Amino acid sequence: MNTVPTPDTPPPGFAPLENATEGERFNGPFHIARDGGGVRLGFRVGARHLNAAGSVHGGVLALFADMLGYGIGVGSYSGAANTITLAIDFLSPARNGDWVEAEPEITRETRSLIFFRAMMTVDGEPIAHCNGIYKKRTSPKEDPA
């Protein structure tokens, strides 16, 4: 039996992210696991995710950080939420074949905003820390700007 992960193969318990947009599918695929009340998101690093130095491009990690909103349920406010701010601290490189994973955590929620943070890891070791703020959309007719 082949134990080497093939491109895009998630660990057990992860399933493809539902309702991914075309851009998210193009840059992913991204996966989600729901267990014990927690939610984790992840992706398998492939050649298409790498920069010239052979590590995951910071832009890919930024996209992944922004997608962590799926894990904290920002989509439950009409299927989308606007990103107000997103900050990332890059700590260590991820390489081809690595599984990048994060468990987003809501740190504060108001009537109109959701604040979150997460640590991205590979094999339990931190590679990036992120935090951000989402604007809730309570109606699909609200201006997305």
Side-chain angles (χ1 to χ4, degrees):
M1 179 160 99
N2 183 4
T3 58
V4 176
T6 58
D8 305 331
T9 304
F14 280 85
L17 192 61
E18 298 174 8
N19 302 322
T21 67
E22 185 175 339
E24 293 160 352
R25 286 190 303 274
F26 178 81
N27 288 288
F30 298 98
H31 298 82
I32 190 165
R34 300 177 194 280
D35 47 28
V39 176
R40 295 174 292 143
L41 285 88
F43 71 99
R44 177 78 57 199
V45 177
R48 68 187 172 283
H49 301 121
L50 303 178
N51 60 23
S55 61
V56 173
H57 192 287
V60 173
L61 292 178
L63 172 69
F64 180 61
D66 196 30
M67 293 184 60
L68 294 174
Y70 282 101
I72 56 175
V74 297
S76 65
Y77 299 99
S78 77
N82 297 322
T83 305
I84 302 294
T85 189
L86 183 65
I88 305 169
D89 300 312
F90 301 103
L91 307 173
S92 182
R95 306 281 184 200
N96 197 14
D98 285 346
W99 176 256
V100 176
E101 183 175 313
E103 185 173 354
E105 170 191 8
I106 294 175
T107 57
R108 182 174 180 223
E109 186 169 359
T110 69
R111 186 179 62 76
S112 61
L113 300 173
I114 299 174
F115 298 73
F116 86 98
R117 69 177 170 205
M119 183 70 71
M120 296 180 209
T121 62
V122 169
D123 295 328
E125 295 297 318
I127 64 158
H129 173 267
C130 64
N131 61 76
I133 305 170
Y134 294 105
K135 169 93 169 86
K136 296 177 188 177
R137 284 177 45 195
T138 56
S139 166
K141 294 180 182 179
E142 282 186 30
D143 180 10

